[in-house]
Amino acid sequence: MKKLEKISVIIPIRTKGSAKLAIEALRQVDYPQELIEVFLVEGNQPARQRNEAAKEAQGDIVYFLDDDSKVEKDLFLKIIEIYENDKSIIAVGGPMLMEESSQAFWPKVFKNIFSSFFGVLGKRARYHPVGSLRQASEDEIILCNFSIKREIFIKENGFNEQLYPNEENELFGRLRKNNFKILYAPQAKVYRLSKASLIDFLKSIFNYGKGRA
């Protein structure tokens, strides 16, 4: 068996916030717990929180996760295998699948919208496993399920702390400009509860759009 690499999981949380869902899932992964370190970084500037944690991390790979997202049990084994198979790869990301928090109407609608090409066009790959392992564009990578070699992340100065949300898009642009190899892995999945109301959904869309602008 190949030697497994140490992974530093970075989870930004609001002041006095909780990452209970994320932590519970991390405790169940099929990966040696001694090779996983977890950073819960409190604050109100997620890009800065992620950068600060990455500077302190000891892992060969830093993995960014949101406080309300749950990794699949074999996710780390899958992404480490990808890195091992091609040493030129510097980052791997996968989709975030929505779970329905209830049988209510709106959660079902939001799940169907984000998993449909007609709902989000090319960004569908962020919310639904699409195709096979391949080099990725910013439309296919989502920050709540994204890993990168720590050495490269630090060398490239991490995230732009003036941006939130969508700070990952600016980073991907810089990495691609420098010809770094980033892969989209549809088999590497995390899960998140769907928004419970139309108001919450519209707020999320507004924030994403503001970040892009």
Side-chain angles (χ1 to χ4, degrees):
M1 182 178 181
K2 294 180 180 178
K3 181 181 178 181
L4 296 176
E5 296 189 67
K6 187 170 186 178
I7 299 175
S8 298
V9 181
I10 297 174
I11 307 174
I13 59 175
R14 296 289 182 183
T15 302
K16 297 184 179 180
S18 171
K20 182 179 179 181
L21 284 175
I23 296 299
E24 288 180 349
L26 288 170
R27 288 173 177 163
Q28 303 299 317
V29 295
D30 295 329
Y31 203 83
Q33 289 293 317
E34 65 271 18
L35 293 180
I36 301 173
E37 64 174 0
V38 180
F39 289 85
L40 298 180
V41 196
E42 290 190 8
N44 297 304
Q45 296 177 296
R48 179 177 298 174
Q49 291 161 245
R50 293 182 175 106
N51 284 343
E52 290 177 352
K55 291 174 184 176
E56 297 181 19
Q58 299 298 311
D60 304 291
I61 303 294
V62 290
Y63 177 80
F64 298 103
L65 183 68
D66 284 356
D67 58 3
D68 59 351
S69 298
K70 301 183 295 183
V71 300
E72 278 198 324
K73 289 185 68 174
D74 61 351
L75 182 139
F76 292 149
L77 289 174
K78 288 176 177 176
I79 64 173
I80 290 300
E81 181 180 13
I82 293 169
Y83 283 111
E84 287 295 325
N85 288 339
D86 186 346
K87 297 297 185 180
S88 68
I89 296 168
I90 63 98
V92 179
M96 180 277 291
L97 281 64
M98 288 190 177
E99 291 184 327
E100 297 172 21
S101 57
S102 70
Q103 296 301 312
F105 174 73
W106 285 115
K108 289 181 177 291
V109 171
F110 304 147
K111 180 179 179 180
N112 289 333
I113 288 174
F114 279 102
S115 62
S116 166
F117 175 80
F118 297 102
V120 290
L121 302 177
K123 294 179 178 59
R124 176 175 179 251
R126 289 184 172 189
Y127 311 103
H128 187 81
V130 176
S132 57
L133 184 68
R134 60 186 180 276
Q135 290 204 52
S137 71
E138 67 172 39
D139 287 338
E140 297 175 310
I141 299 294
I142 191 166
L143 188 50
C144 68
N145 184 12
F146 178 68
S147 67
I148 185 170
K149 290 183 177 179
R150 179 183 175 276
E151 180 182 6
I152 298 297
F153 184 78
I154 298 299
K155 183 178 179 181
E156 294 297 316
N157 298 314
F159 296 112
N160 184 333
E161 296 181 4
Q162 303 303 312
L163 298 178
Y164 175 76
N166 301 119
E167 63 267 31
E168 72 271 26
N169 297 311
E170 190 274 337
L171 172 63
F172 299 158
R174 279 188 279 130
L175 294 175
R176 289 172 63 84
K177 183 177 180 180
N178 292 329
N179 297 314
F180 285 117
K181 194 172 182 180
I182 305 170
L183 294 193
Y184 169 78
Q187 70 272 32
K189 295 171 285 190
V190 301
Y191 296 85
R192 176 187 286 172
L193 289 178
S194 174
K195 298 296 182 182
S197 71
L198 179 59
I199 295 299
D200 289 339
F201 174 76
L202 293 176
K203 284 180 179 178
S204 295
I205 295 301
F206 175 78
N207 286 333
Y208 287 137
K210 182 173 67 174
R212 284 241 171 212

